[in-house]
Amino acid sequence: MARLVAVCRDGEEEFPFEKRQIPLYIDDTLTMVMEFSDNMLNLDGHQINGAQLKQFVQQHGMLKQQDLNIAMMVTSREVFSALSQLVPCVGCRRSVERLFSQLVESGNPALEPLSVGPTGVLSVTRACMTDAKKLFTLFYVHGSKLNETIDAIPKSKKNKRCQLHSLDTHKPKPLGGCWMDVWELMSQECRDEVVLIDSSCLLETLETYLRKHRFCTDCKNKVLRAYNILIGELDCSKEKGYCAALYEGLRCCPHERHIHVCCETDFIAHLLGRAEPEFAGGYERRERHAKTIDIAQEEVLTCLGIHLYERLHRIWQKLRAEEQTWQMLFYLGIDALRKSFEMAIEKVQGISRLEQLCEELSEEERVRELKQEKKRQKRKNRRKNKCACEISTPLQTPGETTKVQEEETSEPVENSCKDCGTMEDANGRVEVIVTNESTSCTCPGSENLLGSPKTKKGMYTVAEKYLANSEIKL
């Protein structure tokens, strides 16, 4: 987590911000400086995949210095476009845009090794740009934390706001470890500034407390007198029943109207313990009166604890929100620069990763179609072989045998007469299949056909076929 290292006493414009330092606005009277540690962005102490680093170094060497400078620049529009797509919380988006605009105006090195120019262009430092190993660590080690950081932010299901930008966050919560967490992250200068209480702010808290618990007029006056003793406007020696031990650890500056509270952790914890019932929802079972000045002093101490706790809670909330904003802007910037670098490499190589993916998919599709075609061809060949086997070895019946013989005998027929059924084969033999007396035969020499030798041969042939068929049937 970021630390609070200093206080902007003369305004943000005059403070000399160092690398990874940004101002943290608390209220109208207090602005602190928060700093992100170097260990968080160490570019040298990470385990790196050797093969990926080797490939990145080769790609880094492919770019000329001018091309590398152009690739390492992205506009605010690109960053904000990714912001609107990846971050659902409107409060986070506005905070990132506000921080980016603030860095454009101030020029502070808050995102080191990233830098923001006066024209709104995001880039990296030259030392990181020329070192391929550092650039690889920035892109693929730190840059990989973008989605992890965004997913880890708790969000409301109702309006998609994160907890730090929801309305419920601004309400004081019961005492817990949050004040101790932020107290440990403060430098001594910041602690001294936090426990420096403005008298008018304490008076506002005191009046709200008196109205809330409906103190009677006499008791209210007693509490106000105890407050005036604390700020030095009344002499405590003239007050009967005043207990100096109750105000031990508190020191007032009447001219500056300040109250200095002892910044020891145990004293702060004791003071905040007095205010714990106010935030826990329960109160001590006693009448809310202050008949004596010492009881009025305790009521003033309770109000002082309430005011101090509200201030620490506000600092804790601002610190967490600004840290979350800085991380999102930093990782979004790295992601945008990485994409710009990869696009420059693709332009040099002459082929995009999308085209490579399309080619790989097309090659897989071609291989798949070739396999399917081979399977279809195998099934087709198997079907042909099966049909050929069935045709080559059929079981023939006597009727089928006779039919085949008749077809074989009728194949060499060349000439036939439609009326008499006379057929003449290539050897000159004539077969009379049908004799129809009612029709006139047009065959040449039909009147001598029965008496010719060819006719007799044809008749013998018919008789032989008849006897052969009879024998088969028997």
Side-chain angles (χ1 to χ4, degrees):
M1 196 171 185
R3 296 185 59 84
L4 298 173
V5 296
V7 179
C8 295
R9 300 187 184 279
D10 300 328
E12 302 176 18
E13 295 79 9
E14 303 296 332
F15 189 87
F17 289 95
E18 299 179 2
K19 61 180 182 179
R20 289 192 286 278
Q21 288 185 350
I22 57 176
L24 182 64
Y25 176 82
I26 307 301
D27 52 37
D28 295 336
T29 61
L30 179 60
T31 301
M32 295 185 176
V33 179
M34 61 182 296
E35 179 183 78
F36 294 87
S37 63
D38 294 338
N39 296 331
M40 178 181 177
L41 302 174
N42 186 11
L43 299 179
D44 298 320
H46 294 275
Q47 295 182 354
I48 301 175
N49 189 313
Q52 293 180 356
L53 177 60
K54 184 178 179 181
Q55 182 182 4
F56 182 83
V57 171
Q58 292 176 354
Q59 294 176 347
H60 185 270
M62 293 171 59
L63 296 177
K64 298 179 182 179
Q65 187 61 44
Q66 183 179 0
D67 297 334
L68 184 61
N69 292 338
I70 296 174
M72 291 293 96
M73 291 190 296
V74 294
T75 62
S76 58
R77 181 180 299 179
E78 298 175 60
V79 178
F80 294 159
S81 176
L83 174 68
S84 62
Q85 295 176 6
L86 298 175
V87 181
C89 176
V90 63
C92 292
R93 294 199 298 267
R94 290 175 180 172
S95 298
V96 171
E97 294 171 357
R98 186 259 311 156
L99 179 59
F100 189 88
S101 301
Q102 179 180 323
L103 296 179
V104 170
E105 294 177 1
S106 64
N108 296 331
L111 298 175
E112 183 94 11
L114 305 185
S115 62
V116 181
T119 59
V121 176
L122 183 70
S123 183
V124 296
T125 59
R126 182 163 296 275
C128 183
M129 185 187 304
T130 55
D131 193 331
K133 185 177 180 181
K134 288 184 177 180
L135 201 60
F136 176 83
T137 306
L138 185 67
F139 285 166
Y140 299 101
V141 176
H142 297 293
S144 61
K145 299 178 182 179
L146 174 61
N147 293 330
E148 178 183 346
T149 302
I150 295 175
D151 294 339
I153 299 174
K155 306 173 188 65
S156 172
K157 295 181 180 179
K158 184 184 300 183
N159 51 21
K160 301 299 181 181
R161 281 180 173 266
C162 70
Q163 290 184 355
L164 295 177
H165 293 109
S166 63
L167 299 177
D168 295 337
T169 309
H170 300 278
K171 300 177 181 178
K173 302 285 182 69
L175 283 174
C178 66
W179 78 267
M180 181 64 73
D181 294 337
V182 71
W183 184 259
E184 294 294 333
L185 294 173
M186 290 183 185
S187 64
Q188 188 61 42
E189 181 184 2
C190 293
R191 291 182 180 182
D192 293 339
E193 190 68 23
V194 168
V195 298
L196 184 63
I197 308 299
D198 185 78
S199 299
S200 58
C201 295
L202 178 60
L203 181 59
E204 291 179 4
T205 304
L206 184 61
E207 290 176 347
T208 302
Y209 178 80
L210 294 174
R211 286 194 302 270
K212 177 181 177 180
H213 295 287
R214 299 176 181 178
F215 279 75
C216 64
T217 304
D218 294 339
C219 295
K220 182 178 180 180
N221 291 333
K222 283 283 187 183
V223 173
L224 291 176
R225 288 180 69 83
Y227 165 77
N228 289 328
I229 292 173
L230 177 62
I231 63 176
E233 291 186 357
L234 286 179
D235 187 5
C236 59
S237 60
K238 296 180 181 180
E239 289 293 331
K240 185 179 180 181
Y242 172 77
C243 180
L246 291 175
Y247 282 168
E248 188 176 351
L250 304 177
R251 181 171 56 87
C252 67
C253 296
H255 300 290
E256 298 179 359
R257 299 186 63 82
H258 286 162
I259 300 172
H260 295 267
V261 181
C262 177
C263 63
E264 292 182 4
T265 305
D266 293 338
F267 185 83
I268 298 297
H270 176 72
L271 198 59
L272 295 176
R274 289 179 174 272
E276 184 173 2
E278 291 293 316
F279 301 110
Y283 311 101
E284 296 181 7
R285 295 298 181 182
R286 70 174 187 179
E287 293 182 0
R288 308 305 295 175
H289 295 285
K291 298 296 184 182
T292 59
I293 194 67
D294 58 336
I295 297 177
Q297 286 179 263
E298 291 183 358
E299 299 293 352
V300 172
L301 292 175
T302 300
C303 293
L304 184 61
I306 293 172
H307 179 77
L308 189 58
Y309 174 76
E310 288 177 346
R311 197 172 198 188
L312 286 172
H313 180 77
R314 190 183 307 113
I315 295 173
W316 173 78
Q317 177 191 344
K318 295 276 188 179
L319 179 64
R320 286 192 59 195
E322 199 69 8
E323 181 184 31
Q324 180 174 291
T325 301
W326 184 93
Q327 288 179 345
M328 281 192 288
L329 178 57
F330 181 75
Y331 292 135
L332 282 168
I334 293 177
D335 189 65
L337 290 169
R338 177 185 60 79
K339 290 179 180 178
S340 178
F341 176 82
E342 291 177 352
M343 289 176 64
I345 293 298
E346 290 170 357
K347 185 177 180 181
V348 171
Q349 292 177 341
I351 183 171
S352 66
R353 296 175 64 183
L354 180 60
E355 291 175 349
Q356 290 179 352
L357 180 61
C358 291
E359 287 185 359
E360 292 175 0
L361 294 175
S362 300
E363 183 65 24
E364 292 178 359
E365 187 67 23
R366 284 195 293 270
V367 172
R368 192 181 301 110
E369 289 180 358
L370 183 60
K371 289 182 179 180
Q372 292 179 354
E373 182 64 28
K374 288 182 179 180
K375 290 181 179 180
R376 286 195 295 267
Q377 191 64 30
K378 285 182 180 180
R379 288 197 297 267
K380 188 175 180 180
N381 295 337
R382 197 179 299 117
R383 197 178 298 114
K384 285 183 178 180
N385 294 335
K386 184 177 180 182
C387 294
C389 293
E390 292 177 353
I391 293 173
S392 61
T393 57
L395 295 175
Q396 296 181 350
T397 60
E400 292 175 345
T401 304
T402 305
K403 187 175 181 181
V404 170
Q405 290 177 354
E406 292 177 354
E407 290 176 355
E408 290 177 354
T409 307
S410 62
E411 282 179 0
V413 175
E414 296 179 358
N415 302 321
S416 63
C417 179
K418 294 180 180 180
D419 295 328
C420 65
T422 304
M423 293 180 293
E424 184 177 355
D425 58 10
N427 296 326
R429 294 183 301 177
V430 178
E431 297 180 2
V432 181
I433 304 304
V434 179
T435 303
N436 194 345
E437 296 178 356
S438 62
T439 60
S440 60
C441 178
T442 60
C443 295
S446 58
E447 64 275 5
N448 298 325
L449 184 61
L450 295 176
S452 65
K454 292 181 180 181
T455 304
K456 291 181 181 180
K457 289 181 181 180
M459 292 175 67
Y460 285 124
T461 303
V462 173
E464 289 174 0
K465 286 184 177 181
Y466 178 76
L467 291 175
N469 290 336
S470 300
E471 291 175 358
I472 291 172
K473 290 177 181 180
L474 292 174

